[in-house]
Amino acid sequence: MKLGAFLFGVGHHAAAWRHPDVDPRAPFRFDYWRDLAQKAEAAKFDAVFLADNVALFGASPEAIAYNPPVYTSEPLTQLAALATHTSRIGLIATVSSTYLAPYHVARKFAALDQLSGGRAGWNLVTSGSDTEAANFGLDHQLAHDKRYEIAAEHVAVVQALWDSFDDDPVLADKQSGQFYDPAKLRYIDHKGEHFQVRGPLQTGRPTQGHPVIVQAGSSEDGQKLAAATAELVFTAQQSLEASRAFVQGLKDRAQALGRSRDDLLVLPGVTIYVAPTREEAEAKLALLHAFVDEAGALQSIKAFLDWDLTQVDIDGPPPPPPFTEGWQSRQKLFYDVAVAEKLTVRQLIARMAAARGHLVLVGTPTDVVDELEAWFESGAADGFNILAPTFPYGLDDVIELVLPELRRRGLFREDYEGSTLREHLGLKRPDAGFVRAAQTQIEETAP
Ligand SMILES: Cc1cc2nc3c(=O)[nH]c(=O)nc-3n(C[C@H](O)[C@H](O)[C@H](O)COP(=O)(O)O)c2cc1C
C-alpha cells in the first residue's frame, strides 16, 4: 500500500496544540518541518503532503485566537526547502486553481520537480470558502460548479505548458549558436473560456514529465474532474463500504474515459491512536478530547462547512445544513454520519475534532493493521494519507508500532523502489503529449 504523511500544524486533532507534550510554537521553525519530513522519509513514506488555504479562518480576532494557524508558511516555498534536506520522499503541495494563474502553477511545480529530482505533486484545490475569496477581490466565493469549470481548463493548460518542451531540447551548440532545438519546443496558444496562455514554459519540462496531479474533491463535479485528470485522490471516508464504492466508482469513471484503473490511486485519510493496549490507545484520544473547546469548535464548523450550529441545543441532533458553495462532500459526510449514528451536536464536535471527517482508528497495532488491511485488500483504498493526531508523537507511534506490523504482513515497502514520486506510486511518466490539445481535455472534463 501507498502511504502519505499529511503534515499539518502540530497535529490533526483540533486540540493537538494543547497536548501537554506538544510545542505549539514549533511550526514557526523550519527545523520542525525538516525533522518531520526526514522522519517520514526514513520510514519510507511515499510522500509528505502540505495542505493550504489562502486565508486565516475565523469570523473575528477572538475566533482566530482560538485556532492556532496550521499553515504557518507557504507550501511550495516550504517544500523547496525540504527538497534540499531529503532525497527520496515525494513532495505534495496544495495550490488553488481559482486563485493562482496556470502559468505560475506550471512554473512553480516544474521548478520544484527539477530541484527535487522528480518528487513534486500538485494537490489541485478550488478553494471553497468566502474567507479565501475575500483575499482575492471577491465578496463571495465563485459557485461550486464554476470553480470546477475553471479548474478543468486550468489543469489542462498547466499540463500543456509542461509539454511545451520535449525532454532534451538543449543543443548548446556554440558553433552554430543554437541553444535549443527549435523542433523540441512549442507555443501552446491556448484560448479558452477562462484562460489565454501562449507559452512555452521557460523552465523547460519537469523531471517527471508532469508532476503528479492530486485532487481531493468528492462531489459530483469533483469526481468528474478527478476521473479525467487526477493520478492520486485524497478523500475522507467513514466506512469501508462507502470508501470502496467511492474508489471503484472513480476508477469506473476513469476507465470510461479511456484511462487504466491503475492510473488513478485513491488514499483515504486515517488518523491513528495506537498503543500496546487498547486502553492506552483510548486514553490518548481521551486526553486530547478533554481539551476540545466546544464554542470554538462550533465557530470552526460554521467557517469550514457554512453550517451554523451555535444557536441549537448542543445535546440535540443537528438540523440539516444549508446549501453551500464550499466543501459540499464534507458537509454531506458530517450530516450523513450524524443522522446514521444519531449523533448530538456535542458528539459531532468530538467526531470533527478527531480528524475533520477522516477515518479514526483506535487500538493495538494488530487492531489498526487489521482494519487498514481490510480496506486495502477489499479495494476500498490503494493506501492511506496518515493524519497523525499530534506531531511528532502521533507520527512516531505510527512509524514504531504500525509500520512494522504492515511490513510483517508484506503490506508496505521495506525500501524505496525508485527515486521519483511517480516511481514510488507506480505511475507512468507521461510523454510530451502536446498532441492532446488542451481543448479536447476541457470538453471531456467541463461540468
Ligand atoms: C486529504 C484532503 C486534503 C485536502 N486539502 C485541502 C487543502 O489543502 N486546501 C483546500 O482548500 N482544500 C483541501 N481539501 C478539500 C478539497 O479540495 C475539496 O474542496 C473538498 O474535499 C470538498 O470537495 P467537493 O467540493 O468536491 O465536495 C482537502 C480534502 C482532503 C480530503
Side-chain angles (χ1 to χ4, degrees), residues 6 49 51-53 94 123 125 127 144 148 216-219 222 234-236 326-330 358 385:
F6 185 169
F49 164 54
D52 192 49
N53 289 112
T94 287
N123 179 36
V125 302
S127 302
H144 189 268
Y148 273 105
S218 299
S219 61
F234 295 154
T235 184
W327 294 31
Q328 292 181 349
S329 54
R330 197 68 61 89
H358 295 271
N385 214 359

Side-chain angles (χ1 to χ4, degrees), residues 134-148:
N135 287 333
F136 297 89
L138 298 170
D139 295 331
H140 295 291
Q141 63 184 312
L142 301 174
H144 189 268
D145 58 356
K146 176 61 78 182
R147 293 198 316 272
Y148 273 105

Side-chain angles (χ1 to χ4, degrees), residues 13 22 26 35-36 47-48 58-59 104 137 147 161 176 212 237 241 258 282 323 349 370 378 397 423 434:
H13 189 287
V22 162
D35 295 352
L36 290 177
V48 290
H104 284 310
R147 293 198 316 272
L161 283 167
S176 71
V212 172
Q237 301 289 336
E241 295 69 28
E282 278 148 12
F323 172 79
I349 288 172
D370 283 351
S378 66
D397 287 348
E423 286 161 355
F434 188 62

